[in-house]
Amino acid sequence: MPSEGRCWETLQALRSSDKGRLCYHRDWLLRGEDVLEECMSLPKLSSYSGWVVDHVLSHTQENPPSSETSASSRATSALDQPSCVPRSPVRTPASSSSSSATPDGAEGKHESQHTESVVLQSSRGIKVEGCIRMYELVHRMRGTEGLRQWQEEQERKVRALSEMASEQLKRFDERKELKHHKEFQDLQEVMEKSSREALGHQEKLKAEHRHRAKILNLKLREAEQQRLKQAEQERLRKEEGQVRLRSLYALQGEVLHLNQQLDASEQPRDVPKPDLSAFRTRGNQLCGLVSGIVRATSENGFPTAEDQAVAEKALQEMRDLLTSLQQEIARACEDKRRQDEEAAQEKQQESKMQQGPEVPRETPAPSQGPGGKQNEDLQVKVQDSTMQWYQQLQDASSQCVLAFEELTNSKDSQAKKIKMDLQKAATIPVSQISTIAGSKLKEIFDKIHSLLSGKPVQCGGHSVSVTLNPQGLDFVQYKLAEKFVKQGEEEVASHHEAAFPIAVVASGIWELHPRVGDLILAHLHRKCPYSVPFYPAFKEGMALEDYQRMLGYQVKDSKVEQQDNFLKRMSGMIRLYAAIIQLRWPYGSRQEIHPHGLNHGWRWLAQILNMEPLSDVTATLLFDFLEVCGNALMKQYQVQFWKMILLIKEEYFPRIEAVTSSGQMGSFIRLKQFLEKCLQRKEIPVPKGFLTSSFWRS
């Protein structure tokens, strides 16, 4: 039908129109009712239409056609009716699209035709299309504005939330800091409270500690006083025990020596020997008795007075036994002599009656040793006279100990104090003697002399005198002599020059108080038997430690001292002895002779050379003696002295070398070099440290 064809044409035209080309969204309804209402309501131009026209139609041509201008004018006038829109040329999409035509002529012609067709459209279509465009722009602007506002609102909310979170964080930090401050304050209060309680407890403990310390100090002082008292008692007991022990050793040595003499008692071969077995058996029994006492003493500590009394009784019995033996031998010799005289008389009578030629008898020649010299054996034992002198000195020392035994054993505190004061007054001045000036040495000498003379002397801040106790003088003399020898054993052994000041004081005291000199010799002989000279012999059944003590060794806890220390002590005592025999106190009387002068030194030297040498000991003592006393002996005996030196070099040196091992050649080489140098110079040098006149002027 023709009408149907026109309908399709109409639809096609409508589809080709601007409105037909619009895109419609089916979901507008979901976006909001306002959008649908606006679409259903009559199109109206808003107050923004002018702005839309200005922005939408801003790209139109600069010189539009007149017809278009007029159409625009009409559209504008029509648009101005419902609302006030800024006046501006109105363009349609057709005009807009025509403005962008290419310079091609065909296209331009077609565009112009199309433009004309658009212009010919009704003003209502243009108005609707403008409204649609305006609505789209406004809606877009409204959406943009809403989106912007929503973004601003969200940003504002975010800022508000951020600020709120920041404030909450600040409040949280403040609460946390407040909580920390509160906890710190509580902790500080607890600590202060604990500190106050601790200080109070500490003060209480300090008070208790001071109280306990005071009590403990009192107890300690009492304990210290008790300990000192016990130590003093123990020391006194030990000193007394040591005195008894030394006395017991001296008694044992004397008993052993007497037994040795008992065994060595001989008589001429042609004299009928009496029965000596009983004497020797009893002598051995006495030696065993004394040795048993000494052995028991070594195990139990120190000997008692009963032990010493038994030993003294055994010694006296041994002396009586030896005297009886000698008397028995003397009677046998006397009987033999009478028999010989009677036999000689009978032979003379027979010879007168008989006649016959005499037959001369040849006497055998003495045996010759190497070099054509007579080989004579040296002695091993000391001479009897020397041994008797040694025994007398030991007896005098033992009697002195017995004389003040009551003082040493006294339990009275006053007696003990007197004993201690006397011992200090006797020993301290001797300890102060050294290589000091002569004036100081004279003060020490005067103090010792005053003490021995019974005059009071100052010691420890108070006056001391031997008259305070009847046994005080014996005690002081014994301790003084013991201290002099101990100084030689210790001080002179370490410093050889100290021998001369100690010796000159000892010599002066010896000259004024002879008993002190005898006690000095007794102590010296006991500690250094080589100063006699005396070589103790080892007896069967004798303990090795006892024999070592007899030789001068120090034995402590079954340990014998080293050989070097032993030789050092022996050397110090021999040097002191060699200095004493040549020195005299310069302020004494020169009319008196020396109480123990150089003649005793010559005797010692002669006797030591008549005895077999001991390894390492003889060479050391000879060197020390000659170095100290050689110059004085040279001046005194001159040629005889040099003869003795030659005898030592030519005959005694080989004997020393024969008994000296390779490891002990030091002392022998030192002695040999010293004598060779002296023989070469023909002079014995003055010993180092010898007291000259300048010493006494200082």
Side-chain angles (χ1 to χ4, degrees):
M1 292 175 58
S3 59
E4 292 178 0
R6 287 192 299 272
C7 183
W8 285 107
E9 290 177 358
T10 302
L11 292 173
Q12 185 68 29
L14 289 173
R15 187 180 292 114
S16 301
S17 66
D18 294 338
K19 188 175 181 179
R21 290 194 299 271
L22 290 175
C23 295
Y24 294 95
H25 297 279
R26 295 180 180 181
D27 57 348
W28 281 10
L29 185 60
L30 299 176
R31 296 180 182 180
E33 295 181 356
D34 54 344
V35 178
L36 184 61
E37 289 177 359
E38 289 178 359
C39 293
M40 295 174 64
S41 65
L42 294 176
K44 291 180 182 181
L45 292 176
S46 68
S47 60
Y48 298 101
S49 301
W51 181 83
V52 171
V53 171
D54 290 338
H55 284 79
V56 171
L57 302 178
S58 62
H59 298 288
T60 59
Q61 296 180 358
E62 294 179 359
N63 297 316
S66 59
S67 61
E68 187 175 334
T69 306
S70 62
S72 300
S73 310
R74 288 193 299 267
T76 306
S77 63
L79 291 169
D80 291 336
Q81 291 178 4
S83 62
C84 293
V85 179
R87 289 179 174 82
S88 60
V90 178
R91 297 180 60 188
T92 63
S95 64
S96 173
S97 61
S98 65
S99 66
S100 61
T102 61
D104 191 344
E107 293 179 359
K109 184 177 180 180
H110 179 270
E111 184 69 27
S112 63
Q113 292 177 358
H114 178 71
T115 305
E116 289 178 359
S117 64
V118 172
V119 171
L120 290 179
Q121 293 178 359
S122 64
S123 60
R124 183 175 177 81
I126 296 172
K127 182 178 178 181
V128 170
E129 186 176 359
C131 288
I132 291 170
R133 289 181 178 272
M134 188 66 179
Y135 179 78
E136 290 177 351
L137 180 60
V138 169
H139 188 71
R140 189 180 297 113
M141 291 176 63
R142 186 180 295 173
T144 304
E145 182 67 19
L147 179 61
R148 185 184 61 79
Q149 291 177 0
W150 182 81
Q151 289 177 348
E152 290 177 356
E153 182 68 20
Q154 296 299 320
E155 289 177 357
R156 188 170 58 255
K157 289 181 179 180
V158 169
R159 285 195 300 271
L161 290 174
S162 176
E163 290 176 358
M164 184 176 64
S166 177
E167 290 297 327
Q168 289 180 354
L169 182 61
K170 288 181 181 178
R171 300 291 84 76
F172 178 78
D173 291 340
E174 290 174 357
R175 286 194 297 272
K176 187 177 180 180
E177 185 177 0
L178 179 60
K179 183 179 180 181
H180 287 171
H181 282 303
K182 188 176 180 181
E183 291 177 352
F184 177 77
Q185 187 174 2
D186 294 341
L187 181 61
Q188 189 173 8
E189 290 177 357
V190 171
M191 291 178 62
E192 289 178 355
K193 184 178 179 181
S194 300
S195 177
R196 287 193 299 271
E197 292 177 355
L199 287 175
H201 186 62
Q202 186 178 6
E203 290 296 330
K204 185 178 179 181
L205 290 177
K206 284 183 178 179
E208 293 179 357
H209 176 70
R210 285 193 294 269
H211 180 66
R212 291 179 181 177
K214 189 179 296 183
I215 295 175
L216 286 176
N217 287 333
L218 292 174
K219 291 182 178 179
L220 284 175
R221 281 197 293 269
E222 293 176 359
E224 182 66 18
Q225 292 176 357
Q226 185 68 19
R227 188 189 65 80
L228 292 175
K229 183 177 180 181
Q230 292 177 356
E232 180 65 19
Q233 293 176 354
E234 183 65 19
R235 190 183 62 81
L236 293 175
R237 187 185 68 82
K238 286 184 178 180
E239 287 183 357
E240 296 170 0
Q242 288 175 354
V243 170
R244 286 201 191 97
L245 187 60
R246 285 193 294 268
S247 177
L248 186 60
Y249 285 150
L251 293 174
Q252 185 188 21
E254 187 175 355
V255 168
L256 293 173
H257 178 67
L258 293 176
N259 187 49
Q260 184 180 4
Q261 292 182 355
L262 192 66
D263 292 339
S265 297
E266 296 180 356
Q267 56 186 348
R269 295 180 180 178
D270 52 355
V271 177
K273 185 176 293 187
D275 187 10
L276 304 180
S277 59
F279 294 96
R280 291 174 179 172
T281 301
R282 183 54 183 165
N284 292 331
Q285 290 176 355
L286 293 175
C287 289
L289 176 62
V290 177
S291 298
I293 294 174
V294 173
R295 192 178 300 107
T297 300
S298 301
E299 295 175 356
N300 301 330
F302 296 104
T304 61
E306 291 77 6
D307 295 336
Q308 189 172 3
V310 172
E312 290 176 354
K313 185 177 179 181
L315 175 61
Q316 186 61 39
E317 186 176 352
M318 179 66 78
R319 290 174 181 171
D320 297 339
L321 195 65
L322 182 61
T323 303
S324 301
L325 177 61
Q326 291 175 352
Q327 292 176 356
E328 188 71 23
I329 294 175
R331 283 196 297 270
C333 291
E334 184 65 24
D335 294 340
K336 177 61 178 175
R337 186 180 60 78
R338 286 197 302 269
Q339 293 176 4
D340 291 341
E341 290 179 356
E342 294 175 356
Q345 292 177 0
E346 292 177 357
K347 287 181 180 180
Q348 288 179 2
Q349 293 176 359
E350 291 178 358
S351 62
K352 291 179 181 179
M353 296 174 62
Q354 296 177 358
Q355 293 180 358
E358 292 183 359
V359 180
R361 298 180 179 178
E362 296 181 359
T363 58
S367 60
Q368 300 293 324
K373 296 182 180 179
Q374 185 175 0
N375 185 13
E376 298 178 354
D377 292 334
L378 297 181
Q379 298 176 2
V380 178
K381 299 187 301 181
V382 70
Q383 295 180 1
D384 292 340
S385 58
T386 303
M387 199 63 202
Q388 291 175 1
W389 171 61
Y390 163 80
Q391 193 60 50
Q392 290 173 0
L393 292 174
Q394 297 304 316
D395 292 342
S397 176
S398 301
Q399 291 173 3
C400 183
V401 172
L402 292 175
F404 61 82
E405 184 177 10
E406 183 179 350
L407 177 62
T408 57
N409 295 331
S410 177
K411 303 299 182 181
D412 183 42
S413 59
Q414 185 66 25
K416 289 182 179 180
K417 185 176 183 302
I418 292 174
K419 183 185 70 172
M420 291 300 300
D421 292 341
L422 290 175
Q423 183 171 348
K424 291 179 181 179
T427 57
I428 290 177
V430 180
S431 301
Q432 296 173 350
I433 300 174
S434 60
T435 55
I436 57 178
S439 57
K440 298 291 183 181
L441 204 63
K442 189 174 186 302
E443 294 178 3
I444 293 174
F445 177 87
D446 293 339
K447 188 174 183 179
I448 297 173
H449 175 57
S450 299
L451 180 66
L452 293 172
S453 300
K455 299 178 182 179
V457 297
Q458 292 296 321
C459 180
H462 56 278
S463 179
V464 180
S465 175
V466 295
T467 58
L468 296 175
N469 190 283
Q471 302 174 0
L473 181 59
D474 295 325
F475 179 76
V476 168
Q477 289 176 343
Y478 186 88
K479 290 298 180 181
L480 183 63
E482 184 181 40
K483 186 61 178 178
F484 272 119
V485 177
K486 190 172 183 180
Q487 284 295 97
E489 185 181 11
E490 296 176 355
E491 181 68 22
V492 179
S494 301
H495 307 91
H496 293 169
E497 296 85 356
F500 296 100
I502 297 174
V504 74
V505 175
S507 178
I509 296 297
W510 194 336
E511 186 174 342
L512 296 176
H513 305 276
R515 191 184 182 194
V516 176
D518 293 340
L519 293 173
I520 289 175
L521 285 177
H523 283 291
L524 183 65
H525 291 170
R526 188 181 304 118
K527 287 191 173 184
C528 179
Y530 314 102
S531 60
V532 179
F534 168 49
Y535 299 161
F538 183 79
K539 286 294 195 178
E540 184 178 357
M542 180 186 297
L544 181 59
E545 295 180 5
D546 297 338
Y547 180 65
Q548 288 169 340
R549 290 189 181 95
M550 290 180 65
L551 292 176
Y553 288 92
Q554 289 181 348
V555 183
K556 294 181 180 179
D557 299 331
S558 301
K559 293 182 179 179
V560 185
E561 66 176 326
Q562 297 294 328
Q563 184 71 7
D564 293 342
N565 189 48
F566 165 73
L567 292 176
K568 183 179 179 181
R569 292 192 304 105
M570 298 298 110
S571 174
M573 288 184 279
I574 285 296
R575 283 179 174 272
L576 177 63
Y577 180 67
I580 289 176
I581 62 177
Q582 62 176 315
L583 292 177
R584 293 194 63 186
W585 182 246
Y587 302 102
S589 176
R590 286 297 173 182
Q591 297 178 356
E592 300 290 337
I593 60 173
H594 195 293
H596 196 79
L598 285 172
N599 58 322
H600 289 273
W602 182 264
R603 176 197 60 80
W604 182 88
L605 186 60
Q607 289 191 359
I608 201 76
L609 294 178
N610 285 329
M611 301 175 69
E612 286 289 349
L614 296 179
S615 175
D616 209 15
V617 175
T618 303
T620 300
L621 299 184
L622 277 176
F623 172 77
D624 293 324
F625 185 83
L626 291 175
E627 188 180 40
V628 176
C629 194
N631 182 268
L633 291 174
M634 178 192 68
K635 294 178 179 178
Q636 179 75 16
Y637 296 99
Q638 297 181 359
V639 177
Q640 297 298 325
F641 175 77
W642 289 113
K643 287 181 179 179
M644 186 171 289
I645 296 299
L646 288 173
L647 175 67
I648 295 173
K649 179 183 176 183
E650 295 176 358
E651 297 187 11
Y652 207 63
F653 272 177
R655 292 182 177 271
I656 298 177
E657 190 173 6
V659 299
T660 305
S661 62
S662 58
Q664 299 175 335
M665 293 297 292
S667 56
F668 170 71
I669 294 174
R670 183 176 56 176
L671 173 63
K672 185 176 181 181
Q673 291 176 351
F674 174 75
L675 292 185
E676 287 177 351
K677 187 182 296 184
C678 293
L679 288 170
Q680 183 180 359
R681 297 178 180 178
K682 296 182 180 180
E683 182 182 8
I684 304 291
V686 177
K688 185 179 180 181
F690 188 78
L691 304 183
T692 59
S693 56
S694 60
F695 172 81
W696 299 107
R697 290 196 298 268
S698 60

